[in-house]
Amino acid sequence: MSIRFDDRVVVVTGAGQGLGRCHALEYARRGAKLLINDLGGSTTGEGGDGDLAQRVADEIIAAGGHAVANRDSVEHGERIIEAAIDAFGRVDVVVNNAGFLRDRSFAKMTDEDWNLMIQVHLVGGYRVTRAAWPHMREQSYGRIVFTTSAAGIYGNMGQANYAAAKLGLVGLAQSLAIEGRSRNILVNSIAPLAGSRLTATVLPAEVVETLKPEYVTPLVLLLTSETHDESGRLYEAGGGWVSQSRWQQSEGAYFDQLFSPEQLQARWAEICSFEHPRHVQSIGDIRTGVPERLGTDFALTPQ
Ligand SMILES: NC(=O)c1ccc[n+]([C@@H]2O[C@H](COP(=O)([O-])OP(=O)(O)OC[C@H]3O[C@@H](n4cnc5c(N)ncnc54)[C@H](O)[C@@H]3O)[C@@H](O)[C@H]2O)c1
């Protein structure tokens, strides 16, 4: 095995089952020391089985690996990172994976459905990462993965709360990729598709069985490996398929003078044509041509 994690400390949130457990076991097989976090919640975020994380840690230890369990919610990310530091003295990799669903049409969604989703997926991802960040900066090494979802990228019926939280994570990841680069902290996002108790609520049993989490785990390990150098990217993976997704911009149209909605309408097809799409790679790319035309220059950086 050439991709190894010997002496690396890896934190996987929501690692008691499903994708997180699968990632954790593979990291352990490749020499990592694991912090297995899981509060053992139900699919909708209530109650739970507090021993879930301990069982995965025990499995790793029984196979000769190193692992400690933690059952805090990701909302208390600082406790999770503290547990990793107490046990192993450092943190090299964070896989933000914990999550659950509260699917409901927007018309029926309660404030609680909305708040819980933002709180666990987005705020939880923020808190765990924020707590790990100073350690990674200090050691000039860090690898972070955020688990987003196709529902966030494309939208989905009954998942407005989940989609908003999940795409929020992509914005977080893309900005952290920029801020972390100079300290060798790489940050990427993955949108997985895998059979788990979450997808068992929407997919037939035989499909859940076929879409093994093992098809997603190699991507997470590659993105967080020592020699991998890409950051700020978004990948989709599941069932043996792996791809990269990115934003594109239509070529658009320029107006030489202030214009009316009717003039805009007249050129709408041109504005929305993707015949010559541009792949925008940074915020600086979006202003091509505008400063020159306005006879001014500007940069979209904090003043
Ligand atoms: N399975 C898929 O096809 C799929 C698709 C898109 C995104 N995802 C995302 O992948 C991640 C893993 O999903 P899965 O399918 O393996 O689900 P899963 O339910 O099998 O595992 C998620 C784990 O997260 C834990 N968890 C929930 N809230 C937590 C909290 N506040 N703190 C700590 N742990 C918590 C749960 O107890 C559970 O063990 C989730 O973020 C999910 O949204 C999964």
Side-chain angles (χ1 to χ4, degrees):
M1 289 181 194
S2 58
I3 294 185
R4 297 281 313 175
F5 292 88
D6 302 285
D7 300 321
R8 293 290 181 204
V9 176
V10 178
V11 174
V12 185
T13 67
Q17 60 196 319
L19 283 160
R21 173 176 174 274
C22 188
H23 305 333
L25 294 179
E26 191 57 30
Y27 277 117
R29 278 185 210 109
R30 290 169 182 265
K33 297 173 180 150
L34 269 303
L35 186 290
I36 306 293
N37 159 263
D38 204 303
L39 95 175
S42 69
T43 49
T44 50
E46 306 104 347
D49 172 0
D51 288 338
L52 217 52
Q54 191 60 55
R55 284 205 286 275
V56 176
D58 289 347
E59 196 178 339
I60 290 172
I61 293 163
H66 303 277
V68 290
N70 166 280
R71 51 199 280 187
D72 283 304
S73 168
V74 286
E75 295 156 277
H76 306 291
E78 64 289 348
R79 294 188 202 158
I80 297 169
I81 297 303
E82 203 178 294
I85 300 287
D86 284 351
F88 304 121
R90 56 187 288 132
V91 54
D92 298 290
V93 176
V94 171
V95 181
N96 288 294
N97 167 81
F100 61 95
L101 296 171
R102 277 282 180 111
D103 293 356
R104 204 157 289 179
S105 70
F106 195 53
K108 293 188 182 147
M109 186 175 293
T110 64
D111 283 352
E112 195 201 358
D113 295 331
W114 173 268
N115 291 339
L116 264 175
M117 213 36 52
I118 301 294
Q119 190 60 24
V120 169
H121 289 272
L122 185 56
V123 178
Y126 155 68
R127 288 216 187 281
V128 175
T129 306
R130 183 66 189 85
W133 198 253
H135 299 282
M136 292 181 167
R137 277 174 55 84
E138 198 171 314
Q139 70 203 14
S140 285
Y141 187 88
R143 300 285 184 267
I144 299 169
V145 164
F146 286 97
T147 309
T148 181
S149 169
I153 306 170
Y154 307 109
N156 199 21
M157 182 76 198
Q159 294 197 309
N161 51 354
Y162 181 69
K166 285 302 202 188
L167 200 58
L169 288 175
V170 178
L172 175 60
Q174 286 179 319
S175 296
L176 295 188
I178 294 166
E179 293 195 24
R181 181 50 102 174
S182 64
R183 299 288 181 110
N184 192 19
I185 306 172
L186 309 186
V187 191
N188 290 289
S189 308
I190 64 152
L193 178 61
S196 74
R197 65 179 190 154
L198 286 191
T199 39
T201 59
V202 288
L203 291 172
E206 64 277 14
V207 179
V208 169
E209 180 55 33
T210 318
L211 288 173
K212 298 190 184 314
E214 282 81 355
Y215 284 125
V216 176
T217 291
L219 174 63
V220 175
L221 271 79
L222 178 64
L223 294 178
T224 54
S225 61
E226 212 165 297
T227 54
H228 197 78
D229 192 39
E230 286 175 331
S231 195
R233 307 277 162 93
L234 167 62
Y235 303 89
E236 295 183 62
W241 169 72
V242 183
S243 79
Q244 189 185 340
S245 298
R246 66 188 197 188
W247 294 106
Q248 285 193 336
Q249 199 176 54
S250 71
E251 208 171 17
Y254 286 104
F255 294 84
D256 287 330
Q257 293 161 359
L258 292 178
F259 51 90
S260 66
E262 292 77 11
Q263 287 168 314
L264 189 62
Q265 187 180 40
R267 297 183 66 185
W268 197 241
E270 186 190 347
I271 287 165
C272 299
S273 166
F274 274 88
E275 207 174 324
H276 303 290
R278 291 176 46 220
H279 170 213
V280 178
Q281 306 218 45
S282 77
I283 199 165
D285 288 353
I286 63 174
R287 63 194 178 96
T288 307
V290 172
E292 294 78 3
R293 281 176 172 261
L294 295 178
T296 178
D297 197 10
F298 57 86
L300 296 172
T301 49
Q303 303 297 305

